[in-house]
Amino acid sequence: MTKKQEMTQKQTNKTLQNPILKWIDDRLPIIGLLQREYIDYPTPRNVNYFWSFGAIATIMLLVMIVTGLVLAMQYTAHVDLAFSSVQRIMRDVNYGWLLRTIHMNGASMFFLAVYIHLYRGMYYGSYKKPRELLWILGVVIFLLMMATAFTGYVLPWGQMSYWAATVITNLFSAIPIIGEQVVAFLWGGFSVDNPTLNRFFVLHFLLPFVILAVVFLHIAALHVTGSNNPDGIDVKSARDTLPFHPYITSKDSLAILVFAIGYAMVVFYAPNFLNHPDNAIPANPLSTPEHIVPEWYFLPFYAILRAIPNKLLGVLGLFGGVAILFFLPFLDRSKIRSCRYRPLYRWLLWLFVIDTMFLGWLGSKPAEEPYILWARLGTVYYFGFFLVLTPLISLIERPAKLPASISEPVLKTSDHPRDS
Amino acid sequence: MKKNTRVIKNALIIASCIVLLLTILPIKSNAASETSPLEKQSWPFKGILGHFDKTSLRRGYEVYTQVCAACHGMRFLHYRDLRELGYSKAQVVALAALNEVEDGPNDEGEYYSRLALPSDIFISPFPNDAAARVANNNVLPPDLSLMVAEKAAQGGADFIYALMIGYKEAPEGSELKEGLYYNTAFKGQEIAMPPPLFEDIIDFSDGTEASIQQMGFDVAQFLAWAADPSLEQRKRIGLRVIIFLGIFLIIAIMYKRRVWTRAHS
Ligand code: HEM
């Protein structure tokens, strides 16, 4: 142990009064670690409720893992039995309906939390130096979540499950030369069938644990740099921060409860609101539904896919729409993090958020005019925002004056602009 | 100046929430547009404390077994589930025993038929889909277990009711194909199901008059229960969960306020 490590450990150790905890910590310094990262962890004192969505997303991940494990104990991954095993869970398993509705709607709530979390990062510039890797890990999580949600949606083996699986896996046939082989490899055969369902179940079981691991890295990276804040300026003195506990824990608990109440309302009073009714019909390879619509959280990307007339380019657009987030830290040339102090970029970003929602709405519409034209315009803005506006805006934007420190506007509430 | 941007920002937030809602809502209302708007019935199972009307459910079951079961199966229901309609154990045994099922092989290796038990699933009228098609003009009568969920976008139970009372004379000049019937609720108005209900086609055991409306209402409620049998329990638990979380929320608000007053001093 180096001298420095020894000192920090001694320091936390000193504060450990409980002899059992101290005994453990001397042998495995985990108590001190938790103490440093979840109790003392200095957090900017001006963070707002948007900073609670990381904690909410973490809770959602755990809820999904726990309910998913219990569901997996009753589910059967076979084309002849999957649909009825889900009905068994809904009807015969004690509280099976509760587990399933929590899990099913949990996916939507999870995506909702992560979308807010992600836009929070964009608005306050949390992706910028020194948090680039933290952001990139976040995008990795986002991609893994999409793969998890997609494989999970196939499992109940309803009409939408089957046809969504068929449409999405078929996208890979757009890859030149090896496309067909890739698709056959994904299917494990010549169409979406039992081998496909089986491997999707395996992947759906595996991926959440991969996400959990990446979330650990994500939070480890966060605790290296510390949290960003709504002013987007660095912490300069101890006066700028508050200990995580009890300040942030009390705030997060409140946010989590509000979120949980919304979640409970969906689960108990509108459990099928977000579910496509066609998924109440068992999968039937011989009958194609009128409209094949993915889950709402995929809709913006689905709209991009359909807006582009060339199949290969469409598929690239679909995946590019997510992948481009990886490059955001390097596309944005402005030194100012928070949009509070970026008078032009702020509006472009709001427009981007609205554009994404607009694309989502278009994704739920049939592929016909005028929706296709609108989706093309939306797609142009989507990519134009990242590739043109974000890099160039800083050339003409004149940022507003940053406060001298985080604590200055907070502690002198009288001239705090946001409270006027 | 600052205040202005805040107002605009809040307006933007509200606008984006509305766009988000619009994103989700149309998924539900895609299919409904082609048929005439439905009359909404006042179902007792709607609302926060919704519950099924058990006498209506029992009548609905009578309609199902005596009429619909000639063509439609309900393969996700067991006779034992009828306990939830208020039947006693003995009544359920008796109701199950009105049906015969194939079973086997027995100790001699033979297949045989026996009376149905409460643990059996509702027996299907046809041994397989092909047989069902042959008997119905080459159209498959769909399983009814989840019919109300399938038709959620068209109104669920309201749709079933409208379908039951929707048989009309075809309008002048339109010609129906052989084996099709005019029904205002059905998509395209031409359905392969012959009108299943007529006045007094059954005798309700509770003496209620069997008008088409009455039978349609009862069978629709029965199918709504069949598609979502946990509805009552779900709504009851839901209310408690939300009250419970609400109390915790109040405590959390008080705690947070107390903690943060220290931060501002
Ligand atoms: C499973 C999903 C995720 C979980 C559980 C998660 C968890 C967390 C947690 C607990 C925090 C600290 C609290 C906070 O600042 O909100 C955090 C911060 C952060 N996350 Fe995530 N996250 C997830 C997905 C993402 C995604 C998809 C992105 C972006 C692509 C992202 C980007 C960030 C950034 C940039 C920060 C630092 C924020 C700041 O300090 O301002 N995260 N995350």
Side-chain angles (χ1 to χ4, degrees), chain A residues 273-284:
Chain A
F273 179 69
L274 295 163
N275 205 11
H276 198 292
D278 276 4
N279 235 18
I281 308 174
N284 180 356

Side-chain angles (χ1 to χ4, degrees), chain A residues 45 49 83 87 91-92 95 97 246-247 250 257 268-269 271-274 277 281 290 347 357 360-361 418, chain B residues 6 8 12 16 19 22-24 26 28 48 80 146 150 187 226 233-235 238-239 255 259-260 263:
Chain A
R45 63 193 310 148
Y49 278 107
F83 192 90
Q87 284 305 311
R91 292 161 190 274
D92 299 336
Y95 294 101
W97 58 269
Y247 292 98
S250 67
L257 281 164
F268 292 103
Y269 293 104
N272 288 311
F273 179 69
L274 295 163
I281 308 174
E290 258 173 85
W347 297 109
M357 292 180 182
W361 177 68
R418 294 183 50 84
Chain B
R6 247 194 119 179
I8 297 172
L12 269 177
S16 16
V19 176
L22 285 178
T23 317
I24 298 168
K28 311 247 77 181
I48 293 185
R80 62 161 186 263
L146 285 161
E150 263 170 56
K187 195 169 61 186
Q233 197 190 10
R234 189 179 69 233
K235 292 190 172 182
L239 193 64
Y255 175 60
V259 166
W260 278 79

Side-chain angles (χ1 to χ4, degrees), chain B residues 203-240:
Chain B
D203 284 323
F204 281 130
S205 53
D206 64 359
T208 307
E209 200 175 321
S211 64
I212 293 184
Q213 278 83 353
Q214 184 67 49
M215 291 184 285
F217 183 88
D218 292 337
V219 80
Q221 183 157 197
F222 172 72
L223 294 184
W225 165 78
D228 190 5
S230 54
L231 177 140
E232 289 184 359
Q233 197 190 10
R234 189 179 69 233
K235 292 190 172 182
R236 231 177 321 113
I237 296 180
L239 193 64
R240 284 189 227 151

Side-chain angles (χ1 to χ4, degrees), chain A residues 51 54 58 110 117 120 126 134-135 138-139 141 218 222 227-228:
Chain A
W51 266 259
T58 312
F110 194 6
H117 185 69
R120 182 282 316 259
S126 299
L134 169 60
W135 172 262
V139 183
I141 294 172
H218 186 72
L222 172 73
S227 296
N228 185 28

